[in-house]
Amino acid sequence: MRSLGKEPVAETVRVELSDENKRSLLKDASKRALGRRSEAETILKRLVQLNAELAKQFQYKESALGNLTLRMLCSSDATAAQDPGAHVLSFLAVSYCWHSGDWDAAQAARPLTTWGLSYPMVSKILSLRESKDEGVWVDQLCIDQKNKDEQEIAIGSMDVIYRAARQLVIALEDVQLDKKEEEVGLKYASMYETMCLAIRKTQPSESEKTKMVEELFKHDHHDLDDTVEFLLKMLNARWYSRAWCAHESKVSSHGKTNNPLFLCFGSAGSVLSFEFRFVHFLAFHMWKYPELPFPRGGEFFQVLDAPAETNTLLQGSSKIDNLLPDHHPDSSLMTYLVTISSFDCLYKTDMIAIAINSSRIPLVFRGSIDPAFPEIRFWIFALLALASGDVGPLLLQARNLYFLDEKRGSKAISWVDLPHNALLEMRLPILSTDSIHSATMEYIELDLYLFTGMPKKASEASLAKARSILQTFSLMNRAHTLGAEDTAYTGAVAETAVDVMAHRGLDTKWFEEVVGSAIDNGIDWIRRLPSILGKETESGRWGHGKFGSFEPGFTKAAIDLLSYFNVTKESNDDFDVEFLDPIIRFFTCVTDHRLKFPVLLPRKITTRVEGDFAFTYQTSDRSWIAVPVAVAHLPFYENRAWVVEPGQKPYVPEMKDPPSNPTAVTDIFPVLTADLADRRDPQNAEGTWCLRKRQTLVGCQPIVADGKAVVLLKKQKVYGGEDYDWAAMSEQYRVMSERANL
C-alpha cells in the first residue's frame, strides 16, 4: 500500500489486491474471454501452420490474467486500505489523456494532482463512487510503469479490467463549455433522461418507441447554434484521437444504467457530467436539420474520409459512433484493427493488443514490430484473421503495405493491402481452409483457379446491336436503383460513380460494352444473369440492397433483343416465362446504377468452355486473371479476382525510341490493354506470381476447373506488387505516338 499524498475529498492510497480479490472482481468480465479458449486454440493452431514464427508471439489470455497484478486507488479510510484481508467489491475505471505540452488543457483544469488529472476532476471522480470503499482504476498509477513484463501483461488484460468496472468515467480536461453551451447541454441531457425513464417504464414496441422519442424529445430550433457548438466541443476533445481511449470505450459496458460518463468543465469551472449515450443520441438527432452542413452525394464520402482532426459535426458523429462496443458475432477481425488505426498511438504494437481486446479473442500479443514500418501490424492481423477462418484479407484492394526486405536491404510491397477506414465489416468464412498453405510478409502460398483467357471487349457486331437498342428505347435515360434498401447511402455512391464516369466519358460506353458483351455471351447467359445477381445479393450482406427487380417498361427492348436471337412467341410455347420475363429482368439489371459499382470498365472473360462468362475490369496484355480457391465461393461484389503476372518481381515497362518501321503497336508500347494484344509470359515451374491488383468478377456460375477455360494450380506463391501507372504511361504513349506518327 502506497500513499499518493493529500488528494481531494480524502487522502488516497494505492492498494494491491490479493489474487482472490482479483479473481472475484474480474470473474464475470473474464468469463466470456476464458470461455473462448477452444476458439483461441484453433486460431493459434492454424496460425502455426500459416507462419510458425509469428504464432510464437501470441499466448493465451488466461495466462496473462493469471499473472496480472491488480491495484486500486482507494481512500485511506477505506476498509481495503485498513484491512489487508478485505476486498474491493467494485471500482470505477478512468479514461483520460495524460497532460503534456502537445495539447492545451482547459483553464479550469488546475491544479494538477498526482493522478495526472486536475484537482476538480479527481474530486468529481471520487464523488461518483457508491461509497468510500469503492476503488478507482487509473492505468498510469495502477500499473508499474518501470516493469515491462507487468506492462505487457496489463495491456493484454486491459479489456477485462475495463469490462469489469462498474462504470467508465471519461475525463475531457480540454473541454470547457461557455454559459450557453452549458445551458443547452444540461437542458437536453435532462430531456433525454426524462424520455429514457418514460420508455423504460412503458416498454413500448419499436414503432411505439419511435413515436415516443418524437413526442418526448423536442429540440427547440432556437437552440440550434448553441447545440452544435456544445456538440463540437464534446466531440472534438483530444480524448477522441487516442487509440487507448477508443479501446477503453469499446470494451466497456454501455448499458442503460452506469452508462459511460463524459466529464468536462462548465462555464464557472465546475465539473459537469453527460452520459455517453446522450451525446451520441444528440449528435445523430441533429441530422434532421437540413440547414446543417451534412454533405450529400459524393461530397459525403469525401468529408467522411477527411483527416481525423477535421472538426465537423459529421466527423464527430462518426467518431463517437465508432467508439460503441461491437458485439456482432460476424464482425471481421480486420475491422477492429482498421477502426483502432484511425486513432493515434505512441507504440504501434499496442494497436494489435487493442484490436485483439476489442474483438474479445482470448489471445495476447507479446511480440514487437519494426518502428520504421508500423503498418506491418496489418499483416500480422491479416494472418490472425485468416487463422480465424476469415478470408477478408485476401480481398483488400486499397493501399500498398511496405516492409523491409532484409535479403535485399530495401523496401518491398506485401501481398496484403492496407485497408481504407472501415473498409471491411463482416467476417467472410473460408470454405476450403486447406487451400491456404503458408504466408510471410513477402508472399502467400495458396491454391489458384487460373483463367486461360483474357478480358476482352465486345465484338463490333454486338456493340452495334447494343447501340441500336440503347438509342431506340432510350435506355440511357432510364437508369435507376430499384433494388436499393438504404436509398440515401446507395444514392450517394451511385451519384459518385455516375459523376466519375461522366467526367471520363464512360457512361454511354459502359452501357454499350455491357449489353454488347452480353450479346456475345449468348441468350442463355443473358437469361441467367438476373438470377445469379439476385441469388448473390439475397443474403443482405451487400450494403446496396438486392437485385431481381422487374420493370415491365423494358418489354419492347426485351422483345427486340430476343428477335436478334430469333426467339419469338410463335416459336416457343413458354415464351413469357422462359424468355421474355428473364430478358426484362436483364434490362432492369443493366440499367441499374448499382451494377456500375463492381465494374466501371467492364470486359468479358470466359469462365467455362461450354458457355459461361463474367464481367471484370480491363487488364493489361501481360496479366492473367486468377481466383484463389479460398474466395471462389464469394459473391460478385467481393474482389475475388487477382490480376497476376508470372515471377516474384513485377514487370517494369521501359520506354524506348520506336523503331523506324514499326509493324505493330506492340513494337512501340511495352504494355497495352488486353483488348489489343496478348503478351503474357507462361506460368513458371516454381509456381510464383506477382500480384498487380484485385478486382471483381460479376455474373458467372460457381467457378470450377474444367481444364480448359479454368485450370487448378496447387500451392502457388503470390508476391506483392502494384498495378501499372496507367496515367503516366498514357502520357508517355502520347509522346511516343507523336514521334511514330501514329
Side-chain angles (χ1 to χ4, degrees):
M1 183 172 68
R2 179 186 171 190
S3 172
L4 299 176
K6 291 290 183 180
E7 297 289 359
V9 183
E11 182 180 294
T12 55
V13 294
R14 184 169 58 198
V15 176
E16 184 171 324
L17 307 188
S18 66
D19 286 343
E20 183 183 355
N21 192 177
K22 177 184 70 175
R23 285 192 295 270
S24 65
L25 202 55
L26 304 182
K27 180 180 178 181
D28 290 339
S30 61
K31 189 179 297 182
R32 179 171 176 178
L34 300 184
R36 296 175 67 183
R37 169 67 187 244
S38 61
E39 179 185 354
E41 289 176 348
T42 300
I43 292 173
L44 210 51
K45 181 180 178 180
R46 180 67 175 124
L47 192 57
V48 169
Q49 295 171 345
L50 293 173
N51 191 303
E53 287 302 310
L54 178 62
K56 292 176 183 178
Q57 301 179 52
F58 288 88
Q59 70 176 68
Y60 297 114
K61 184 176 286 289
E62 64 187 63
S63 301
L65 288 173
N67 294 320
L68 174 69
T69 300
L70 187 62
R71 303 181 183 89
M72 289 290 160
L73 303 180
C74 301
S75 295
S76 59
D77 58 346
T79 305
Q82 301 294 326
D83 179 2
H87 282 194
V88 174
L89 300 180
S90 66
F91 67 98
L92 302 176
V94 182
S95 181
Y96 67 107
C97 291
W98 192 261
H99 283 239
S100 66
D102 61 354
W103 63 281
D104 296 324
Q107 188 67 29
R110 293 181 176 82
L112 196 63
T113 71
T114 55
W115 281 31
L117 293 164
S118 67
Y119 185 100
M121 197 64 74
V122 172
S123 178
K124 179 68 174 180
I125 292 169
L126 290 173
S127 74
L128 295 172
R129 296 177 301 168
E130 292 184 326
S131 72
K132 68 177 183 179
D133 289 324
E134 186 163 48
V136 178
W137 194 85
V138 180
D139 59 356
Q140 284 285 338
L141 295 177
C142 295
I143 302 171
D144 185 349
Q145 301 299 318
K146 296 179 180 179
N147 188 324
K148 185 178 179 182
D149 285 340
E150 183 176 325
Q151 281 186 312
E152 287 184 352
I153 291 169
I155 285 172
S157 309
M158 205 80 81
D159 57 324
V160 174
I161 295 172
Y162 276 92
R163 201 171 293 129
R166 178 178 66 81
Q167 188 172 33
L168 174 68
V169 180
I170 303 165
L172 308 180
E173 293 218 285
D174 56 339
V175 175
Q176 184 162 6
L177 307 176
D178 64 24
K179 188 174 181 181
K180 289 184 177 180
E181 294 161 355
E182 179 179 344
E183 287 174 354
V184 296
L186 294 174
K187 173 183 176 179
Y188 291 107
S190 175
M191 185 183 295
Y192 177 80
E193 180 60 25
T194 301
M195 177 190 72
C196 290
L197 289 173
I199 291 173
R200 200 175 305 158
K201 183 177 180 180
T202 57
Q203 296 293 308
S205 64
E206 281 303 313
S207 59
E208 293 170 338
K209 181 178 176 181
T210 301
K211 291 180 181 178
M212 288 187 70
V213 170
E214 293 174 353
E215 292 171 359
L216 296 176
F217 196 89
K218 294 186 178 295
H219 187 270
D220 189 335
H221 192 278
H222 293 96
D223 292 333
L224 181 59
D225 291 342
D226 293 329
T227 304
V228 170
E229 290 304 313
F230 165 76
L231 285 170
L232 286 175
K233 280 192 177 178
M234 296 298 294
L235 297 174
N236 286 294
R238 186 175 186 274
W239 180 83
Y240 289 92
S241 69
R242 308 300 300 163
W244 273 114
C245 294
H247 164 270
E248 289 150 13
S249 174
K250 289 180 75 66
V251 300
S252 295
S253 172
H254 281 249
K256 296 175 182 177
T257 58
N258 292 325
N259 193 259
L261 274 183
F262 284 118
L263 302 185
C264 67
F265 297 103
S267 56
S270 61
V271 178
L272 308 176
S273 63
F274 299 97
E275 283 191 326
F276 185 106
R277 61 179 183 155
F278 158 66
V279 178
H280 181 273
F281 171 87
L282 187 61
F284 282 90
H285 188 75
M286 291 295 100
W287 284 58
K288 73 174 187 177
Y289 287 107
E291 60 264 48
L292 288 181
F294 289 113
R296 302 292 186 261
E299 185 186 3
F300 177 92
F301 299 97
Q302 294 172 13
V303 174
L304 200 57
D305 273 342
E309 63 271 15
T310 305
N311 298 328
T312 68
L313 198 50
L314 175 63
Q315 282 282 329
S317 302
S318 176
K319 283 188 287 190
I320 194 170
D321 197 52
N322 280 337
L323 296 178
L324 289 170
D326 183 357
H327 298 310
H328 199 293
D330 287 333
S331 292
S332 167
L333 284 184
M334 291 297 287
T335 296
Y336 294 100
L337 185 59
V338 169
T339 301
I340 290 299
S341 292
S342 64
F343 302 91
D344 192 20
C345 191
L346 180 61
Y347 302 108
K348 303 305 179 185
T349 304
D350 287 357
M351 288 190 172
I352 298 174
I354 294 171
I356 291 174
N357 286 348
S358 300
S359 71
R360 300 193 178 185
I361 288 180
L363 289 174
V364 175
F365 182 67
R366 298 296 301 272
S368 61
I369 58 178
D370 186 344
F373 295 90
E375 291 165 335
I376 287 173
R377 65 185 183 274
F378 286 100
W379 171 79
I380 294 173
F381 229 74
L383 262 65
L384 195 62
L386 290 175
S388 74
D390 179 10
V391 297
L394 301 182
L395 306 168
L396 287 170
Q397 174 58 32
R399 300 166 291 155
N400 290 335
L401 191 161
Y402 292 96
F403 67 95
L404 178 63
D405 185 337
E406 295 181 353
K407 295 178 182 177
R408 303 173 189 167
S410 60
K411 221 168 46 166
I413 300 173
S414 179
W415 58 269
V416 67
D417 271 14
L418 286 173
H420 294 301
N421 288 345
L423 180 65
L424 293 173
E425 294 182 357
M426 305 307 291
R427 182 177 176 273
L428 297 168
I430 298 175
L431 297 186
S432 52
T433 55
D434 59 349
S435 69
I436 305 176
H437 304 282
S438 65
T440 67
M441 277 186 278
E442 273 189 294
Y443 66 81
I444 181 166
E445 186 180 35
L446 72 179
D447 299 343
L448 293 175
Y449 286 126
L450 186 70
F451 290 68
T452 57
M454 301 179 76
K456 294 292 186 181
K457 284 177 62 69
S459 67
E460 286 302 322
S462 294
L463 285 172
K465 180 57 183 175
R467 281 192 289 270
S468 172
I469 293 174
L470 294 171
Q471 292 168 7
T472 302
F473 302 103
S474 302
L475 297 190
M476 283 289 295
N477 300 324
R478 302 179 64 178
H480 61 87
T481 53
L482 287 177
E485 294 175 356
D486 185 343
T487 54
Y489 169 54
T490 298
V493 179
E495 182 181 326
T496 302
V498 170
D499 287 347
V500 169
M501 296 181 77
H503 177 71
R504 298 181 183 178
L506 300 174
D507 208 18
T508 302
K509 292 179 180 178
W510 186 90
F511 278 104
E512 291 177 4
E513 194 62 49
V514 167
V515 176
S517 294
I519 293 171
D520 279 341
N521 294 347
I523 193 64
D524 290 338
W525 184 88
I526 293 173
R527 292 163 61 200
R528 281 198 305 268
L529 180 65
S531 298
I532 289 172
L533 298 182
K535 184 177 181 180
E536 293 185 359
T537 54
E538 67 184 2
S539 69
R541 295 184 75 153
W542 193 37
H544 300 293
K546 301 175 183 179
F547 278 100
S549 299
F550 182 89
E551 175 50 60
F554 293 114
T555 301
K556 291 182 178 179
I559 291 173
D560 184 273
L561 180 58
L562 285 167
S563 67
Y564 181 79
F565 287 100
N566 297 316
V567 178
T568 63
K569 191 176 185 70
E570 292 72 25
S571 60
N572 292 275
D573 293 336
D574 284 336
F575 177 76
D576 287 0
V577 174
E578 293 294 324
F579 293 97
L580 184 59
D581 288 355
I583 306 307
I584 291 173
R585 292 186 188 279
F586 165 77
F587 279 113
T588 308
C589 283
V590 298
T591 52
D592 193 324
H593 280 311
R594 295 175 301 152
L595 195 57
K596 296 173 183 173
F597 301 169
V599 275
L600 283 176
L601 288 171
R603 293 293 185 269
K604 59 183 174 66
I605 189 169
T606 303
T607 58
R608 295 188 189 181
V609 289
E610 64 265 26
D612 196 33
F613 307 87
F615 287 124
T616 191
Y617 273 81
Q618 184 183 72
T619 62
S620 82
D621 62 344
R622 295 184 178 274
S623 302
W624 295 74
I625 294 289
V627 173
V629 173
V631 301
H633 64 287
L634 294 176
F636 70 86
Y637 46 84
E638 304 292 356
N639 290 317
R640 52 183 174 159
W642 288 17
V643 180
V644 296
E645 294 176 11
Q648 296 183 24
K649 297 180 181 179
Y651 169 73
V652 180
E654 295 183 18
M655 299 302 298
K656 300 178 181 179
D657 290 334
S660 55
N661 295 304
T663 58
V665 289
T666 52
D667 294 337
I668 304 172
F669 306 121
V671 177
L672 295 165
T673 69
D675 296 332
L676 301 172
D678 181 356
R679 286 185 283 183
R680 296 177 296 174
D681 289 332
Q683 53 187 290
N684 56 46
E686 295 78 18
T688 59
W689 301 85
C690 179
L691 177 62
R692 286 289 186 185
K693 61 175 180 174
R694 298 174 177 90
Q695 56 194 42
T696 53
L697 200 65
V698 181
C700 62
Q701 299 178 81
I703 300 168
V704 294
D706 61 6
K708 296 178 180 178
V710 178
V711 295
L712 174 62
L713 303 178
K714 303 285 267 184
K715 301 189 76 169
Q716 303 293 292
K717 290 184 178 179
V718 182
Y719 290 77
E722 58 187 337
D723 196 15
Y724 293 103
D725 187 344
W726 290 101
M729 287 197 303
S730 294
E731 177 57 26
Q732 291 177 323
Y733 288 4
R734 183 189 64 79
V735 174
M736 297 291 283
S737 297
E738 290 176 356
R739 290 182 186 175
N741 295 318
L742 294 179

